Amino acid sequence: MRPLQVLLVDDNPAARGLAEEAFSLSGQPCEVTMMESGADALAALMDKNGIRPDVVLLDINMPGMDGFDVLEAIKAQPHLRPIPVVMLSGSAAPQDIRKAYTLHANAYLVKSVEFQAFLNQIEDFVVFWTQARLTTRPHDLD
């Protein structure tokens, strides 16, 4: 089975580094592409020859184009719509969670502040999306 392809979008270098470490320690076959802005991620996804991840892990609070804007743009594009998007945020605010699901997020994950708990979250994330992903990648359905 091929490794799970994850696109992680987060403007915070420390958060990206922590996530990179957590993914590498997960023990699961996974390839992570990291982007530091919503605009860069969307441009890469919109490029016909660009990346096609199995799942997007998307931070909410980013300057410029925030995670909600990126989510809305992804779900507005027929060729990107099938790609699952998981919002990853430090916010457990009900209005943020509600907005994410209203915009058709596939899941909402509140980042744990404790490293071991965050490692467990990433491990569970990879296991779940490896088992739940489509048997073919979304761009192969065209």
Side-chain angles (χ1 to χ4, degrees):
M1 181 183 289
R2 68 175 173 73
L4 181 72
Q5 305 289 315
V6 177
L7 171 59
L8 173 70
V9 186
D10 195 319
D11 66 308
N12 184 318
R16 287 192 312 273
L18 186 64
E20 184 174 38
E21 184 174 352
F23 276 106
S24 71
L25 295 173
S26 77
Q28 300 295 320
C30 183
E31 294 176 7
V32 181
T33 300
M34 301 211 181
M35 300 261 171
E36 63 184 54
S37 79
D40 288 346
L42 192 57
L45 289 166
M46 294 294 288
D47 181 341
K48 187 172 182 128
N49 298 315
I51 60 173
R52 289 296 178 268
D54 294 307
V55 61
V56 175
L57 194 53
L58 183 58
D59 184 36
I60 291 176
N61 296 315
M62 297 184 288
M65 182 176 238
D66 71 15
F68 293 127
D69 295 333
V70 177
L71 172 62
E72 192 169 23
I74 289 171
K75 296 304 179 179
Q77 296 297 318
H79 69 288
L80 299 179
R81 193 175 300 133
I83 301 172
V85 178
V86 176
M87 306 308 285
L88 179 65
S89 178
S91 171
Q95 64 271 20
D96 287 340
I97 296 168
R98 192 174 313 108
K99 184 173 183 178
Y101 286 118
T102 298
L103 295 172
H104 305 288
N106 295 85
Y108 191 102
L109 185 61
V110 178
K111 292 180 203 177
S112 177
V113 294
E114 199 273 314
F115 185 68
Q116 186 58 51
F118 183 66
L119 282 177
N120 294 341
Q121 284 180 308
I122 295 299
E123 175 86 18
D124 292 344
F125 170 87
V126 174
V127 168
F128 176 83
W129 287 104
T130 296
Q131 294 172 355
R133 68 181 164 184
L134 300 171
T135 55
T136 59
R137 296 168 67 118
H139 73 284
D140 293 337
L141 297 174
D142 297 332

